[in-house]
Amino acid sequence: MKYIRLTKEQLDEMHQEFINFLATQSITADEWESIKRDKPEVAEQELDVFSDLIWEGVLSKVQYLEHFSAQHMFLFEVGAVKISMISIEVENKSIDITTAAGYKWLQENFMKDEVNLYTSSKLLSDDRNNDIFVLIRQGANITQGDLYKWFEKFVEVD
């Protein structure tokens, strides 16, 4: 398995897609029930293959990611050959930008000395989707890129 298995909740949400996946392998509903009952290891393998297919589809469409912690915001733009990052650091440890009040403070004070803006970029590896998946496993979330696009106006991105 290349990524991680979808959670039960995610699999439940993708019930119809999973039925279609089984159908492409000529597995009927009755056969699936039999496989789950008589060959649980085969059922596990099918879930793993399906999960990887879903992850590949999702990751191939990712353009932006965000990762927040109490004093840091990491905004990523994923291009064809490189990933660019805008990092926002709040020096004041009493400000927590993961809270509504802290985020409001950042909006009002992002150009002040106690807020640092950094940029960097790096080339993607030959496995772009895995590069993105690693960031997601570290806590990043897929976004539409609104914050990246907004902060991009104030920094020089490579």
Side-chain angles (χ1 to χ4, degrees):
M1 176 160 215
K2 184 172 179 180
Y3 302 109
I4 58 172
R5 183 177 300 164
L6 298 174
T7 65
K8 181 176 180 351
E9 294 78 16
Q10 290 167 326
L11 288 167
D12 288 347
E13 287 286 321
M14 307 210 68
H15 181 73
Q16 188 58 50
E17 290 84 352
F18 187 65
I19 290 170
N20 295 342
F21 167 76
L22 292 175
T24 63
Q25 299 183 55
S26 302
I27 299 173
T28 66
D30 289 341
E31 289 171 323
W32 177 243
E33 290 305 317
S34 173
I35 291 169
K36 289 193 306 187
R37 181 180 61 252
D38 302 331
K39 299 177 185 172
E41 68 284 349
V42 173
E44 298 286 320
Q45 291 171 353
E46 292 295 334
L47 290 170
D48 290 348
V49 170
F50 177 71
S51 294
D52 276 350
L53 283 172
I54 296 301
W55 274 112
E56 282 291 337
V58 168
L59 295 170
S60 67
K61 296 175 185 162
V62 170
Q63 290 183 287
Y64 296 96
L65 298 157
E66 295 175 358
H67 185 263
F68 287 80
S69 65
Q71 277 81 41
H72 290 91
M73 183 187 306
F74 298 97
L75 310 172
F76 301 95
E77 180 181 47
V78 185
V81 295
K82 73 176 180 178
I83 185 163
S84 300
M85 179 187 71
I86 299 172
S87 171
I88 298 93
E89 176 190 24
V90 176
E91 290 180 1
N92 184 338
K93 302 299 180 211
S94 68
I95 305 291
D96 181 348
I97 61 174
T98 64
T99 67
Y103 188 75
K104 185 174 187 324
W105 180 92
L106 177 62
Q107 288 176 311
E108 295 168 354
N109 296 283
F110 78 93
M111 293 301 279
K112 297 207 171 146
D113 286 344
E114 59 258 70
V115 177
N116 299 310
L117 300 175
Y118 304 101
T119 62
S120 83
S121 65
K122 73 172 194 171
L123 293 176
L124 291 164
S125 73
D126 291 338
D127 191 347
R128 174 191 184 274
N129 288 356
N130 191 61
D131 292 349
I132 295 167
F133 186 73
V134 167
L135 291 171
I136 291 170
R137 292 290 294 203
Q138 293 171 346
N141 294 302
I142 300 168
T143 69
Q144 296 298 313
D146 294 340
L147 278 173
Y148 186 95
K149 293 170 194 169
W150 192 81
F151 275 102
E152 185 177 36
K153 295 181 270 185
F154 303 99
V155 296
E156 195 170 310
V157 181
D158 300 345

